[in-house]
């Protein structure tokens, strides 16, 4: 039996990764999550669950000593890209320092492969379609933190031989997403608004373009990369190929939720990358069995789940560090 650590396993993508890993009988799955963004109900039976933070380096060291992990899937992060400008200290502690704790432990305990979910936020703007060969120029603290972890993994490999695989997913949606988080995951935000009878809210004119990616299409490659020779010390963009505007997305979501005439409100534009989508030629050449779910089909799958579980109360981030230029809709009421 081989022990596998999944950080953020109670969160959105992590919950899917855990379920996929459970299909391998030779793997024992251990989940570490502080439940700050995930839910205990997302964790299936049959895994060892530890409630704790990746910022607790003593806890990390004790877990690695106990389980002798062969593989680490690091998905724990606070992925509110836009909000990261206003929670800089929290962002770097959680998304960078916490990751370093895991990398240190992986080096010391001879982990066979470290799988890291980064983000296309590392690219910045004016680089479309985004290619792995491009020089990243992140424009927000979230993207900066993710790119810093990527660089650290490369140096850990060069100095200590730690093998890794980096994925840069983007705009992922699907079942188990926290639809009550108003700072991230526009699909979940829109669906929650509809359930609560509130208008969907869009920053600016809604012509921002993103390639919205169904979670079921990215989980297989992430899981399988741990034991594939072709993924060793490589970086992959992963997600949907076709970009859509937020305006089109809102129409498709309303249709999937059975509310085609649901109202839409436009708020003041915020500082964000307007057009962001990536090229996946490299991933397509390596992960030949990857799925490709259409936006309409993926949204319907998520909508069916959302309608079943019901609306969630929108939460406010408690520890905003900088209020200057904070969008009014994000301020604590």
């Amino acid at each position: 039996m081989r022990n596998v650590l999944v950080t953020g396993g109670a969160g959105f993508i992590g919950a899917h990764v855990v379920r996929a890993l459970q299909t391998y009988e030779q793997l024992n799955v251990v989940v570490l999550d502080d439940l700050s963004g995930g839910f205990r109900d997302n964790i299936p039976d049959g895994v060892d669950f530890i409630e704790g933070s990746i910022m607790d380096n003593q806890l990390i060291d004790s877990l690695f000593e106990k389980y002798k992990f062969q593989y680490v899937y690091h998905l724990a992060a606070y992925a509110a890209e836009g909000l990261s400008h206003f929670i800089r200290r929290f962002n770097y502690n959680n998304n960078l320092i916490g990751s370093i704790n895991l990398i240190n432990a992986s080096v010391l305990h001879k982990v066979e492969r470290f799988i890291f979910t980064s983000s296309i936020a590392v690219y910045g703007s004016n680089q479309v379609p985004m290619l792995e060969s491009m020089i990243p120029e992140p424009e927000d603290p979230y993207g900066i933190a993710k790119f810093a972890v990527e660089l650290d993994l490369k140096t850990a490999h060069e100095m200590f031989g730690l093998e890794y695989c980096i994925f840069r997913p983007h705009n992922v949606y699907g079942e188990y997403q926290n639809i009550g988080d108003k700072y991230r995951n526009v699909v979940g935000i829109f669906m929650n608004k509809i359930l609560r009878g509130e208008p969907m809210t869009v920053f600016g004119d809604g012509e921002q373009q993103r390639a919205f990616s169904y979670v079921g299409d990215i989980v297989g490659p992430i899981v399988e990369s741990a034991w594939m020779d072709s993924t060793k010390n490589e970086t992959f963009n992963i997600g949907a190929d076709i970009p859509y505007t937020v305006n089109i997305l809102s129409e498709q979501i309303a249709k999937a939720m059975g509310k085609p005439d649901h109202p839409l409100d436009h708020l003041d534009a915020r500082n964000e990358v307007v057009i962001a989508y990536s090229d996946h030629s490299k991933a397509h050449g390596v992960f030949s069995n990857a799925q490709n779910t259409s936006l309409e089909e993926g949204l319907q799958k998520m909508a069916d789940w959302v309608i079943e579980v019901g609306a969630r109360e929108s939460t406010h981030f408690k520890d905003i560090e900088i209020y200057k230029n904070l969008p009014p809709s994000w301020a604590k009421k």
Side-chain angles (χ1 to χ4, degrees):
M1 187 69 71
R2 302 171 73 79
N3 289 322
V4 181
L5 174 64
V6 180
T7 69
F12 168 40
I13 299 177
H16 288 270
V17 168
V18 168
R19 283 165 171 75
L21 287 168
Q22 281 189 302
T23 64
Y24 296 87
E25 294 182 357
Q26 71 274 26
L27 300 179
N28 176 57
V29 182
V30 179
V31 169
L32 174 65
D33 200 300
D34 65 4
L35 301 182
S36 61
F39 301 92
R40 181 64 181 85
D41 292 344
N42 284 352
I43 304 173
D45 294 334
V47 304
D48 295 347
F49 171 59
I50 295 91
E51 183 175 351
S53 171
I54 60 174
M55 290 186 282
D56 186 345
N57 63 294
Q58 292 183 337
L59 172 62
I60 296 295
D61 291 342
S62 67
L63 290 177
F64 276 74
E65 182 64 35
K66 176 180 179 180
Y67 286 99
K68 312 294 184 187
F69 298 114
Q70 278 75 42
Y71 308 122
V72 172
Y73 292 84
H74 178 29
L75 297 101
Y78 191 68
E81 184 177 351
L83 187 64
S84 68
H85 290 285
F86 310 99
I87 55 169
R88 307 171 76 86
R89 184 183 305 108
F90 177 87
N91 169 74
Y92 290 119
N93 280 333
N94 194 71
N95 294 338
L96 177 53
I97 301 303
S99 300
I100 301 308
N101 290 336
L102 292 165
I103 294 172
N104 279 351
S106 296
V107 169
L108 292 171
H109 293 274
K110 299 181 174 62
V111 165
E112 294 181 20
R113 191 76 61 89
F114 190 105
I115 311 302
F116 175 56
T117 51
S118 183
S119 169
I120 65 166
V122 303
Y123 290 110
S125 61
N126 301 319
Q127 298 204 78
V128 290
M130 298 165 175
L131 294 163
E132 294 91 343
S133 58
M134 291 176 171
I135 298 174
E137 296 181 4
E139 295 190 342
D140 54 68
Y142 174 70
I144 293 169
K146 286 292 191 179
F147 187 45
V149 177
E150 291 189 16
L151 293 175
D152 194 82
L153 280 171
K154 293 175 182 178
T155 60
H157 168 68
E158 292 167 0
M159 180 62 70
F160 307 113
L162 176 64
E163 293 184 359
Y164 65 86
C165 182
I166 296 167
F167 287 94
R168 293 171 177 166
H170 53 91
N171 304 100
V172 185
Y173 68 92
E175 302 89 334
Y176 306 121
Q177 195 165 59
N178 181 3
I179 64 173
D181 190 333
K182 67 175 184 177
Y183 305 105
R184 53 180 174 168
N185 305 324
V186 64
V187 175
I189 292 171
F190 281 3
M191 289 187 177
N192 200 42
K193 290 280 191 182
I194 292 174
L195 285 180
R196 294 169 62 86
E198 302 170 357
M200 294 179 284
T201 52
V202 175
F203 290 103
D205 61 8
E207 289 302 299
Q208 306 95 314
Q209 292 185 34
R210 300 289 189 270
F212 301 98
S213 309
Y214 180 63
V215 65
D217 295 347
I218 71 169
V219 169
I222 290 174
V223 168
E224 295 168 7
S225 67
W227 45 80
M228 295 174 63
D229 288 339
S230 56
T231 64
K232 192 182 300 183
N233 309 317
E234 294 287 348
T235 299
F236 297 94
N237 294 332
I238 189 169
D241 293 314
I242 303 173
Y244 293 88
T245 66
V246 174
N247 288 327
I248 292 176
L249 175 72
S250 66
E251 294 173 1
Q252 292 294 320
I253 289 175
K255 178 181 176 182
M257 294 289 289
K259 303 285 185 179
D261 298 321
H262 197 80
L264 183 70
D265 278 354
H266 287 271
L267 306 178
D268 290 340
R270 64 180 184 181
N271 182 19
E272 64 178 329
V273 176
V274 177
I275 300 176
Y277 60 93
S278 58
D279 179 272
H280 305 108
S281 300
K282 183 177 178 180
H284 292 329
V286 172
F287 305 104
S288 57
N289 296 324
Q291 302 179 57
N292 185 18
T293 302
S294 69
L295 180 66
E296 183 177 9
E297 181 184 356
L299 289 177
Q300 192 61 61
K301 288 181 178 181
M302 181 174 176
D304 292 343
W305 173 79
V306 165
I307 292 170
E308 180 181 350
V309 301
R312 291 191 186 275
E313 184 72 24
S314 295
T315 56
H316 289 281
F317 192 89
K318 296 180 180 179
D319 299 311
I320 301 294
E321 299 160 17
I322 299 175
Y323 281 89
K324 182 178 181 180
N325 298 331
L326 181 73
S329 63
W330 285 356
K332 186 175 182 181
K333 298 180 180 179

